[in-house]
Amino acid sequence: MTADRVYNVLFLCTGNSARSILAESILNAEGKGRFKAYSAGSQPKGEVNPHALKELAALGYPATGFRSKSWDEFAEPGAPDMDFIFTVCDSAAGEACPVWIGHPMTAHWGVEDPAAVEGSEAEKARAFAEAARFLKNRIMSFIGLPLNSIDKLALESHLRQIGAMEGASIKQSRAS
């Protein structure tokens, strides 16, 4: 991987309405032109969760122009070649994904679904704020990696470690 190129990153979730949208916006802003983030879902809901857009706006990230779309769009001819693909929900991590051209590096960065939280508006807002914080922490760790000087095995290890950071929806098993 070279320092002078833009890395394409795809965030996957089942519905592509909340976590993957949060991650796409945060990486596009924080990646400062070094990364181009996209998001998609295996079973897109067809609309972006308004709480996700509200949280992005509250944090000062772009909150317009997003749409819930199928991951099939990124497996079609002419789609951007992905360098990295991160699943951000546990169900998408277990699904049979399309075959990705170029064999991008993948990792699971699961975060609990804020859209599944029931309760008051304040409780829902808190869930979205927490999901955005966990995703931002992972993204900031990711963009801090020396992508142009790290070997593939070390990079894969770092990507898995990032997925196990605070807020991981599945606890990583430890080898004895």
Side-chain angles (χ1 to χ4, degrees), residues 70-84:
S70 172
W71 62 17
D72 292 337
E73 287 187 26
F74 294 95
E76 294 176 0
D81 288 343
M82 294 299 149
D83 298 295
F84 300 93

Side-chain angles (χ1 to χ4, degrees), residues 11 19-28 37-39 66 69:
F11 292 99
R19 291 165 286 184
S20 52
I21 298 288
L22 291 169
E24 177 184 2
S25 181
I26 293 168
L27 180 57
N28 277 330
Y38 302 88
S39 67
F66 296 100
K69 59 202 157 299

Side-chain angles (χ1 to χ4, degrees), residues 113-126:
D113 186 1
V117 170
E118 296 181 7
S120 68
E121 287 299 308
E123 290 167 318
K124 291 176 184 178
R126 193 169 26 260

Side-chain angles (χ1 to χ4, degrees), residues 90-174:
D90 299 339
S91 57
E95 293 183 82
C97 295
V99 174
W100 305 109
I101 295 176
H103 306 289
M105 301 198 82
T106 62
H108 179 59
W109 290 1
V111 172
E112 293 294 332
D113 186 1
V117 170
E118 296 181 7
S120 68
E121 287 299 308
E123 290 167 318
K124 291 176 184 178
R126 193 169 26 260
F128 275 87
E130 183 174 80
R133 180 172 57 89
F134 292 149
L135 288 165
K136 181 177 180 180
N137 289 344
R138 285 166 174 72
I139 288 165
M140 297 308 287
S141 292
F142 170 62
I143 64 177
L145 292 173
L147 297 179
N148 59 334
S149 64
I150 192 169
D151 70 63
K152 185 175 180 181
L153 287 176
L155 181 55
E156 287 173 344
S157 176
H158 283 294
L159 295 177
R160 281 193 305 278
Q161 289 170 357
I162 289 170
M165 291 174 66
E166 179 189 14
S169 56
I170 293 180
K171 301 300 175 210
Q172 305 293 327
S173 61
R174 297 182 194 264

Side-chain angles (χ1 to χ4, degrees), residues 7-63:
Y7 296 100
N8 289 327
V9 180
L10 179 60
F11 292 99
L12 297 177
C13 202
T14 303
N16 187 219
S17 69
R19 291 165 286 184
S20 52
I21 298 288
L22 291 169
E24 177 184 2
S25 181
I26 293 168
L27 180 57
N28 277 330
E30 297 293 347
K32 299 185 182 5
R34 288 182 47 225
F35 299 90
K36 174 62 180 144
Y38 302 88
S39 67
S42 58
Q43 300 166 31
K45 292 196 184 284
E47 62 183 22
V48 176
N49 188 301
H51 291 284
L53 300 176
K54 188 174 181 180
E55 181 60 25
L56 288 170
L59 294 172
Y61 291 115

